[in-house]
Amino acid sequence: MRCHLKPLQRRQLLPHRALLLTDCEHPTPELISFCEKLPGVIAVASLTEEPLEAPLKGFPPNQPNLISAIETWLEEI
């Protein structure tokens, strides 16, 4: 996934107010609890097959249009 993040970084689409967890396919309850405290300060998304409740955002790692979906999410925040 890191190879996919490089184009986003080069295009400066990863603003300082967003956190994308890329090595976290199975987020722990502790991590989810921590991330739920961040909205309003920073938007949080994760590459995961597990459903996440708003305000957290989850992207399936094998999603065919993953980069496009992440770009759309970043534009929305």
Side-chain angles (χ1 to χ4, degrees):
M1 291 316 328
R2 291 180 188 174
C3 65
H4 295 294
L5 293 177
K6 293 296 181 191
L8 292 176
Q9 291 170 333
R10 279 194 292 270
R11 288 187 253 160
Q12 298 178 341
L13 290 174
L14 289 178
H16 296 287
R17 62 176 198 230
L19 174 63
L20 178 61
L21 304 172
T22 60
D23 292 325
C24 191
E25 270 190 64
H26 305 285
T28 64
E30 294 83 7
L31 178 61
I32 291 172
S33 178
F34 172 75
C35 290
E36 287 173 338
K37 297 175 184 174
L38 297 175
V41 176
I42 189 167
V44 180
S46 179
L47 299 182
T48 181
E49 294 289 343
E50 296 181 23
L52 298 176
E53 294 194 27
L56 304 180
K57 178 75 174 168
F59 297 100
N62 297 323
Q63 181 174 336
N65 63 339
L66 181 59
I67 296 299
S68 176
I70 293 170
E71 289 174 337
T72 300
W73 169 68
L74 290 171
E75 291 169 1
E76 292 173 353
I77 57 174

